[in-house]
Amino acid sequence: CFLLQSTCAFQSSSPSSIRPSTVRLHSSVSSVVSVGEDAARDVASMDMWATNVGIQRDGCDLTATYEDDGFGGMVEDWSIVASQPISAGSPVLFVPADAILSSGMIRNELYTFLSSAEASLTDLGMEKDIPLFALFVKVLAEYERGEMSPYYYWLNSLPRKFNNGAAFTYSCFECLLPYAAQLAEAERDLFSKFR
């Protein structure tokens, strides 16, 4: 908490660590996160998981909004909305270090698995993309672990459909203005190199 001394609304508790004791990149778990576009997002379980790992929010509620998707269906979106007046500069969310996926932590945790890939990325002149690659690998590894992943409930709450450059088809790029198309194609190219 970044407030002065004891004026913090959040309690700094030590929840049980969510870090796995061993790292395995391959799993035989049959209960995995469904990534189908129509799979339901389980946000309620993620909210309970967040509380259990020590994530705290002050004066905010998790709120769903629904919009027409343009194809006769509805798109569900989630956000945190203030439930009371909040002063400018006030913290609204406290996330313990153990619950944060940072590229530095991941690179230390998965060094044995990532070192040769990082060397290849360096050879391709992609040093600046190594932290993103580490996050990419970690999220995929946690998806593969399914219910065995300490991040399962978070992963199972994420959207299944994305409208970013990595998800675009080449036809989509043709519909964009040139600069937007260039940025979207660069994003798609970057993620294709991570394969």
Side-chain angles (χ1 to χ4, degrees):
C1 185
F2 299 108
L3 297 177
L4 300 173
Q5 297 174 352
S6 64
T7 59
C8 181
F10 300 110
Q11 299 300 316
S12 176
S13 61
S14 258
S16 60
S17 177
I18 65 170
R19 297 277 177 246
S21 57
T22 59
V23 176
R24 291 179 14 194
L25 289 181
H26 299 286
S27 160
S28 62
V29 174
S30 60
S31 184
V32 297
V33 177
S34 173
V35 294
E37 285 185 10
D38 295 328
R41 296 174 63 185
D42 186 1
V43 177
S45 294
M46 181 274 304
D47 194 31
M48 288 189 298
W49 166 83
T51 300
N52 289 338
V53 298
I55 296 172
Q56 302 168 41
R57 57 178 187 266
D58 189 36
C60 299
D61 293 323
L62 194 57
T63 306
T65 55
Y66 300 90
E67 294 180 15
D68 183 354
D69 68 0
F71 300 102
M74 298 298 284
V75 175
E76 176 186 60
D77 199 8
W78 288 87
S79 51
I80 294 193
V81 178
S83 58
Q84 62 191 32
I86 299 174
S87 303
S90 296
V92 294
L93 194 64
F94 170 80
V95 181
D98 280 345
I100 297 172
L101 285 174
S102 72
S103 59
M105 176 278 303
I106 293 166
R107 290 175 73 193
N108 287 336
E109 178 186 342
L110 302 178
Y111 179 78
T112 340
F113 302 107
L114 294 177
S115 56
S116 63
E118 287 184 6
S120 296
L121 290 171
T122 300
D123 291 345
L124 293 171
M126 298 175 62
E127 297 88 358
K128 69 178 180 32
D129 299 312
I130 290 174
L132 181 60
F133 176 74
L135 285 168
F136 188 85
V137 169
K138 176 67 173 177
V139 168
L140 289 176
E142 295 303 326
Y143 263 109
E144 185 179 49
R145 293 182 69 201
E147 288 183 347
M148 298 301 294
S149 169
Y151 299 100
Y152 173 80
Y153 296 104
W154 170 66
L155 294 168
N156 203 33
S157 74
L158 296 176
R160 303 319 202 264
K161 184 176 180 181
F162 298 94
N163 296 314
N164 59 7
F168 282 6
T169 65
Y170 292 106
S171 298
C172 294
F173 296 134
E174 293 173 6
C175 297
L176 296 173
L177 295 172
Y179 184 65
Q182 179 184 359
L183 293 175
E185 283 186 84
E187 185 176 8
R188 182 180 175 101
D189 290 344
L190 172 65
F191 284 108
S192 69
K193 289 176 184 170
F194 283 175
R195 287 192 241 161

PDB file of all heavy atoms in Angstrom, residues 83-98:
ATOM      1  N   SER A  83     -18.170   2.167  -5.954  1.00  0.00           N
ATOM      2  CA  SER A  83     -19.467   2.049  -5.287  1.00  0.00           C
ATOM      3  C   SER A  83     -19.694   3.203  -4.316  1.00  0.00           C
ATOM      4  O   SER A  83     -20.740   3.298  -3.695  1.00  0.00           O
ATOM      5  CB  SER A  83     -19.560   0.712  -4.553  1.00  0.00           C
ATOM      6  OG  SER A  83     -18.510   0.596  -3.614  1.00  0.00           O
ATOM      7  N   GLN A  84     -18.683   4.044  -4.195  1.00  0.00           N
ATOM      8  CA  GLN A  84     -18.746   5.222  -3.333  1.00  0.00           C
ATOM      9  C   GLN A  84     -17.739   6.227  -3.866  1.00  0.00           C
ATOM     10  O   GLN A  84     -16.864   5.864  -4.649  1.00  0.00           O
ATOM     11  CB  GLN A  84     -18.436   4.836  -1.890  1.00  0.00           C
ATOM     12  CG  GLN A  84     -17.027   4.270  -1.711  1.00  0.00           C
ATOM     13  CD  GLN A  84     -16.808   3.646  -0.352  1.00  0.00           C
ATOM     14  OE1 GLN A  84     -17.723   3.098   0.233  1.00  0.00           O
ATOM     15  NE2 GLN A  84     -15.592   3.720   0.154  1.00  0.00           N
ATOM     16  N   PRO A  85     -17.867   7.502  -3.463  1.00  0.00           N
ATOM     17  CA  PRO A  85     -16.892   8.493  -3.936  1.00  0.00           C
ATOM     18  C   PRO A  85     -15.466   8.113  -3.509  1.00  0.00           C
ATOM     19  O   PRO A  85     -15.255   7.683  -2.375  1.00  0.00           O
ATOM     20  CB  PRO A  85     -17.335   9.792  -3.259  1.00  0.00           C
ATOM     21  CG  PRO A  85     -18.771   9.562  -2.898  1.00  0.00           C
ATOM     22  CD  PRO A  85     -18.906   8.093  -2.628  1.00  0.00           C
ATOM     23  N   ILE A  86     -14.545   8.241  -4.429  1.00  0.00           N
ATOM     24  CA  ILE A  86     -13.147   7.910  -4.150  1.00  0.00           C
ATOM     25  C   ILE A  86     -12.308   9.135  -4.474  1.00  0.00           C
ATOM     26  O   ILE A  86     -12.408   9.698  -5.565  1.00  0.00           O
ATOM     27  CB  ILE A  86     -12.681   6.709  -5.005  1.00  0.00           C
ATOM     28  CG1 ILE A  86     -13.524   5.475  -4.672  1.00  0.00           C
ATOM     29  CG2 ILE A  86     -11.206   6.427  -4.770  1.00  0.00           C
ATOM     30  CD1 ILE A  86     -13.243   4.284  -5.566  1.00  0.00           C
ATOM     31  N   SER A  87     -11.475   9.542  -3.547  1.00  0.00           N
ATOM     32  CA  SER A  87     -10.615  10.705  -3.743  1.00  0.00           C
ATOM     33  C   SER A  87      -9.567  10.411  -4.807  1.00  0.00           C
ATOM     34  O   SER A  87      -9.071   9.282  -4.917  1.00  0.00           O
ATOM     35  CB  SER A  87      -9.904  11.068  -2.440  1.00  0.00           C
ATOM     36  OG  SER A  87     -10.835  11.313  -1.413  1.00  0.00           O
ATOM     37  N   ALA A  88      -9.223  11.442  -5.563  1.00  0.00           N
ATOM     38  CA  ALA A  88      -8.176  11.301  -6.582  1.00  0.00           C
ATOM     39  C   ALA A  88      -6.889  10.834  -5.915  1.00  0.00           C
ATOM     40  O   ALA A  88      -6.514  11.304  -4.846  1.00  0.00           O
ATOM     41  CB  ALA A  88      -7.958  12.635  -7.284  1.00  0.00           C
ATOM     42  N   GLY A  89      -6.243   9.874  -6.541  1.00  0.00           N
ATOM     43  CA  GLY A  89      -4.974   9.357  -6.040  1.00  0.00           C
ATOM     44  C   GLY A  89      -5.111   8.271  -4.988  1.00  0.00           C
ATOM     45  O   GLY A  89      -4.117   7.737  -4.521  1.00  0.00           O
ATOM     46  N   SER A  90      -6.346   7.940  -4.600  1.00  0.00           N
ATOM     47  CA  SER A  90      -6.555   6.892  -3.595  1.00  0.00           C
ATOM     48  C   SER A  90      -6.380   5.520  -4.220  1.00  0.00           C
ATOM     49  O   SER A  90      -6.818   5.290  -5.344  1.00  0.00           O
ATOM     50  CB  SER A  90      -7.972   6.969  -3.025  1.00  0.00           C
ATOM     51  OG  SER A  90      -8.174   8.175  -2.344  1.00  0.00           O
ATOM     52  N   PRO A  91      -5.771   4.595  -3.485  1.00  0.00           N
ATOM     53  CA  PRO A  91      -5.667   3.229  -4.014  1.00  0.00           C
ATOM     54  C   PRO A  91      -7.039   2.565  -3.993  1.00  0.00           C
ATOM     55  O   PRO A  91      -7.831   2.788  -3.075  1.00  0.00           O
ATOM     56  CB  PRO A  91      -4.713   2.536  -3.049  1.00  0.00           C
ATOM     57  CG  PRO A  91      -4.822   3.310  -1.780  1.00  0.00           C
ATOM     58  CD  PRO A  91      -5.152   4.725  -2.165  1.00  0.00           C
ATOM     59  N   VAL A  92      -7.341   1.809  -4.998  1.00  0.00           N
ATOM     60  CA  VAL A  92      -8.613   1.089  -5.058  1.00  0.00           C
ATOM     61  C   VAL A  92      -8.409  -0.421  -5.086  1.00  0.00           C
ATOM     62  O   VAL A  92      -9.350  -1.176  -4.914  1.00  0.00           O
ATOM     63  CB  VAL A  92      -9.466   1.522  -6.273  1.00  0.00           C
ATOM     64  CG1 VAL A  92      -9.901   2.959  -6.128  1.00  0.00           C
ATOM     65  CG2 VAL A  92      -8.742   1.296  -7.575  1.00  0.00           C
ATOM     66  N   LEU A  93      -7.172  -0.851  -5.315  1.00  0.00           N
ATOM     67  CA  LEU A  93      -6.885  -2.268  -5.436  1.00  0.00           C
ATOM     68  C   LEU A  93      -5.529  -2.565  -4.823  1.00  0.00           C
ATOM     69  O   LEU A  93      -4.567  -1.818  -5.033  1.00  0.00           O
ATOM     70  CB  LEU A  93      -6.884  -2.658  -6.918  1.00  0.00           C
ATOM     71  CG  LEU A  93      -6.922  -4.115  -7.287  1.00  0.00           C
ATOM     72  CD1 LEU A  93      -8.228  -4.760  -6.836  1.00  0.00           C
ATOM     73  CD2 LEU A  93      -6.779  -4.278  -8.793  1.00  0.00           C
ATOM     74  N   PHE A  94      -5.461  -3.630  -4.048  1.00  0.00           N
ATOM     75  CA  PHE A  94      -4.209  -4.101  -3.476  1.00  0.00           C
ATOM     76  C   PHE A  94      -4.005  -5.523  -3.968  1.00  0.00           C
ATOM     77  O   PHE A  94      -4.864  -6.382  -3.790  1.00  0.00           O
ATOM     78  CB  PHE A  94      -4.264  -4.077  -1.945  1.00  0.00           C
ATOM     79  CG  PHE A  94      -3.091  -4.766  -1.297  1.00  0.00           C
ATOM     80  CD1 PHE A  94      -1.873  -4.129  -1.180  1.00  0.00           C
ATOM     81  CD2 PHE A  94      -3.215  -6.064  -0.819  1.00  0.00           C
ATOM     82  CE1 PHE A  94      -0.786  -4.772  -0.590  1.00  0.00           C
ATOM     83  CE2 PHE A  94      -2.139  -6.717  -0.230  1.00  0.00           C
ATOM     84  CZ  PHE A  94      -0.922  -6.064  -0.115  1.00  0.00           C
ATOM     85  N   VAL A  95      -2.880  -5.763  -4.621  1.00  0.00           N
ATOM     86  CA  VAL A  95      -2.557  -7.094  -5.131  1.00  0.00           C
ATOM     87  C   VAL A  95      -1.236  -7.523  -4.514  1.00  0.00           C
ATOM     88  O   VAL A  95      -0.201  -6.877  -4.730  1.00  0.00           O
ATOM     89  CB  VAL A  95      -2.447  -7.104  -6.674  1.00  0.00           C
ATOM     90  CG1 VAL A  95      -2.134  -8.501  -7.173  1.00  0.00           C
ATOM     91  CG2 VAL A  95      -3.718  -6.565  -7.312  1.00  0.00           C
ATOM     92  N   PRO A  96      -1.234  -8.602  -3.715  1.00  0.00           N
ATOM     93  CA  PRO A  96       0.017  -9.069  -3.118  1.00  0.00           C
ATOM     94  C   PRO A  96       0.996  -9.533  -4.195  1.00  0.00           C
ATOM     95  O   PRO A  96       0.591 -10.002  -5.263  1.00  0.00           O
ATOM     96  CB  PRO A  96      -0.408 -10.234  -2.225  1.00  0.00           C
ATOM     97  CG  PRO A  96      -1.838 -10.485  -2.475  1.00  0.00           C
ATOM     98  CD  PRO A  96      -2.375  -9.429  -3.376  1.00  0.00           C
ATOM     99  N   ALA A  97       2.259  -9.392  -3.898  1.00  0.00           N
ATOM    100  CA  ALA A  97       3.304  -9.739  -4.863  1.00  0.00           C
ATOM    101  C   ALA A  97       3.172 -11.170  -5.370  1.00  0.00           C
ATOM    102  O   ALA A  97       3.424 -11.438  -6.546  1.00  0.00           O
ATOM    103  CB  ALA A  97       4.686  -9.506  -4.251  1.00  0.00           C
ATOM    104  N   ASP A  98       2.763 -12.108  -4.505  1.00  0.00           N
ATOM    105  CA  ASP A  98       2.637 -13.516  -4.917  1.00  0.00           C
ATOM    106  C   ASP A  98       1.574 -13.736  -5.978  1.00  0.00           C
ATOM    107  O   ASP A  98       1.570 -14.756  -6.649  1.00  0.00           O
ATOM    108  CB  ASP A  98       2.306 -14.408  -3.726  1.00  0.00           C
ATOM    109  CG  ASP A  98       3.521 -14.754  -2.897  1.00  0.00           C
ATOM    110  OD1 ASP A  98       4.658 -14.565  -3.366  1.00  0.00           O
ATOM    111  OD2 ASP A  98       3.317 -15.239  -1.784  1.00  0.00           O
TER     112      ASP A  98
END
